């Protein structure tokens, strides 16, 4: 992590933030496809709309419908991020880290894991109905050295322990950053 925190005052009505985690880069090949699946599952279990953390933060008024995040990979780098509007971005970032630590210790709820796994698989399956999605998947697969149509085999092999290992390795305090845009004071 080059810089742990940044804060900038701008003409915004409420604070905006992104918190992220610098993940280990993933080599080319099927391991890359597996990392994409694990990263997406980790995001949904950690702070997806069905997650206990999302529900709690929303009920406390710390996030709103603008909140979201995902896992991204680019050549030589990978990162997981979440953000949106919040009256207390630091509290949200701390809650995400606490929830990641809890998931590493206890593992995800079995029912929620299966729900998230099925939802992600279904999303990938529905993507086959889109010419644009297929073209992007084939291009990413070609450049990443994997066959994107092997996603059913990858999903079938993923376990809750795999997601725990992903979180244990990547979503840690020493890999965390927080960027805030706060309202400019007159």
């Amino acid at each position: 992590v080059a810089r742990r925190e940044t804060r900038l005052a701008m003409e915004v009505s409420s604070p905006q933030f992104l918190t992220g985690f610098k993940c280990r880069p993933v080599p080319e090949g099927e391991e890359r496809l597996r990392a994409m699946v694990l990263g997406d599952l980790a995001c949904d279990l950690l702070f997806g709309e069905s997650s206990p953390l999302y529900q709690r933060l929303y009920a406390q008024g710390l996030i709103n419908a603008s909140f979201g995040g995902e896992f991204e990979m680019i050549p030589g780098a990978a990162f997981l991020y979440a953000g949106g509007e919040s009256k207390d971005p630091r509290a949200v970032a701390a809650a995400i880290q606490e929830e990641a630590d809890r998931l590493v210790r206890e593992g995800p709820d079995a029912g929620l894991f299966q729900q998230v796994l099925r939802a992600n698989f279904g999303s990938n399956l529905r993507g086959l109905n889109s010419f644009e999605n297929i073209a992007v998947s084939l291009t990413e697969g070609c450049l990443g050295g994997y066959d994107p149509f092997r996603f059913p085999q990858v999903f079938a092999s993923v376990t809750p322990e795999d997601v725990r290992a992903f979180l244990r390795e990547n979503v840690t305090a020493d890999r965390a950053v927080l960027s805030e845009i706060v309202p400019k004071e007159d």
Side-chain angles (χ1 to χ4, degrees), residues 23-24 26 34-43 71 78-80 104 160-172:
C23 301
R24 297 194 192 284
V26 179
R34 185 173 180 75
M36 283 192 302
V37 169
L38 287 173
D40 289 344
L41 291 172
C43 286
F71 176 69
F79 55 95
L80 183 148
V104 167
E161 184 53 43
D162 294 330
V163 176
R164 286 174 76 181
F166 177 91
L167 291 169
R168 184 181 307 112
E169 182 175 323
N170 294 296
V171 185
T172 62

Side-chain angles (χ1 to χ4, degrees), residues 52-144:
L53 177 64
Y54 184 98
Q55 299 300 320
R56 187 173 72 246
L57 293 174
Y58 192 86
Q60 293 171 347
L62 289 173
I63 61 171
N64 58 27
S66 73
F67 180 80
E70 56 187 72
F71 176 69
E72 296 282 342
M73 289 187 300
I74 57 176
F79 55 95
L80 183 148
Y81 69 92
E85 292 180 5
S86 178
K87 62 184 179 186
D88 192 350
R90 290 176 187 277
V92 176
I96 290 171
Q97 183 62 65
E98 289 167 10
E99 181 66 3
D101 294 343
R102 185 193 69 77
L103 287 170
V104 167
R105 277 191 321 274
E106 301 172 12
D109 173 78
L112 181 60
F113 177 79
Q114 288 302 317
Q115 175 186 337
V116 166
L117 187 69
R118 285 191 303 272
N120 276 268
F121 180 82
S123 177
N124 277 269
L125 200 56
R126 282 188 303 282
L128 297 175
N129 287 330
S130 163
F131 177 78
E132 180 181 354
N133 189 18
I134 291 172
V136 169
S137 294
L138 285 171
T139 303
E140 288 176 346
C142 181
L143 295 173

